[in-house]
């Protein structure tokens, strides 16, 4: 079973993290938060964005990037950044891989990116745009990884109830 992992490096905006948490619950994805966070995990804005799903979220926090690496040895980590050469569709996501996103104001630090150039990925955009919203970026890349893993463990069909027309 595919069990993907989203990693947020020092997220700053609680609403973004709440939305991402909700997406993780809806997809059976684990969320990893690398401190320092720009908010407290009990903040109202975080809970509001994550709605009542936050209690169902598989979330782990780490005191820093070194702590994250120590507790996830050998993890395959894709680094989402505007500085990557490859797009997010040019890689094959393993069922247990980690996809890291940087903080809203600065992204993933360059010293981390330099060490991980071969797994750095980007979402194509026109030149004049600095970056996409963090929640949108996570959704775009996560759903590509889920698609590549055949949406393993996810409901693929809805149930549309027909309305009766009297015309």
């Amino acid at each position: 079973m595919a069990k993907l992992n989203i990693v947020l490096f020092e997220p700053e905006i609680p609403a973004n993290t709440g939305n991402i948490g909700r997406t993780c619950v809806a997809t059976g994805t684990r969320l990893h938060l690398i401190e320092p966070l720009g908010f407290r995990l009990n903040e109202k804005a975080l809970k509001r964005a994550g709605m009542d799903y936050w209690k169902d979220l598989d979330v782990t926090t780490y005191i820093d990037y070194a702590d994250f690496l120590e507790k996830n040895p050998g993890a395959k980590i894709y680094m989402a950044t505007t500085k990557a050469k490859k797009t997010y569709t040019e890689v094959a996501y393993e069922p247990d891989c980690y996809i890291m996103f940087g903080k809203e104001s600065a992204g993933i630090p360059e010293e981390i990116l330099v060490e991980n150039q071969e797994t750095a990925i980007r979402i194509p955009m026109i030149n004049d745009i600095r970056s996409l919203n963090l929640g949108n970026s996570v959704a775009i890349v996560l759903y590509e990884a889920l698609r590549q893993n055949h949406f393993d463990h996810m409901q693929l069909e809805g149930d549309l109830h027909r309305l009766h027309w009297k015309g």
Side-chain angles (χ1 to χ4, degrees):
M1 179 169 99
K3 190 70 171 179
L4 297 169
N5 298 273
I6 293 297
V7 182
L8 301 182
F9 181 89
E10 301 179 3
E12 300 166 315
I13 301 173
N16 284 340
T17 301
N19 286 328
I20 292 163
R22 184 175 180 168
T23 299
C24 287
V25 171
T27 59
T29 301
R30 294 183 189 109
L31 180 61
H32 304 263
L33 303 174
I34 298 175
E35 296 179 350
L37 309 179
F39 50 87
R40 288 188 297 280
L41 288 176
N42 62 356
E43 271 193 35
K44 202 181 284 187
L46 179 73
K47 302 279 193 213
R48 185 173 33 247
M51 301 198 56
D52 56 346
Y53 298 100
W54 196 259
K55 66 182 174 17
D56 301 318
L57 179 62
D58 183 354
V59 61
T60 305
T61 58
Y62 305 88
I63 58 171
D64 56 23
Y65 181 63
D67 183 40
F68 168 76
L69 291 177
E70 181 181 313
K71 291 179 177 163
N72 297 285
K76 177 69 177 235
I77 308 168
Y78 293 95
M79 305 277 175
T81 174
T82 58
K83 299 171 180 152
K85 301 282 186 209
K86 288 186 278 194
T87 67
Y88 72 100
T89 58
E90 293 180 82
V91 299
Y93 299 95
E94 298 82 359
D96 59 349
C97 70
Y98 292 71
I99 308 167
M100 181 181 287
F101 297 81
K103 63 176 142 183
E104 291 90 339
S105 65
I108 299 171
E110 264 199 43
E111 58 269 17
I112 294 173
L113 293 174
V114 167
E115 296 173 3
N116 296 280
Q117 291 180 55
E118 68 284 348
T119 59
I121 55 171
R122 67 177 285 112
I123 299 170
M125 296 177 288
I126 61 173
N127 290 337
D128 297 343
I129 302 297
R130 189 179 75 242
S131 65
L132 295 172
N133 170 273
L134 181 60
N136 293 340
S137 296
V138 168
I140 289 167
V141 178
L142 175 58
Y143 267 86
E144 171 61 14
L146 290 164
R147 184 194 67 78
Q148 288 185 17
N149 283 277
H150 311 289
F151 297 108
D152 185 32
H153 76 277
M154 298 179 75
Q155 180 180 338
L156 297 178
E157 294 181 7
D159 185 19
L160 181 64
H161 298 285
R162 288 192 168 251
L163 297 175
H164 298 287
W165 285 92
K166 294 182 181 178

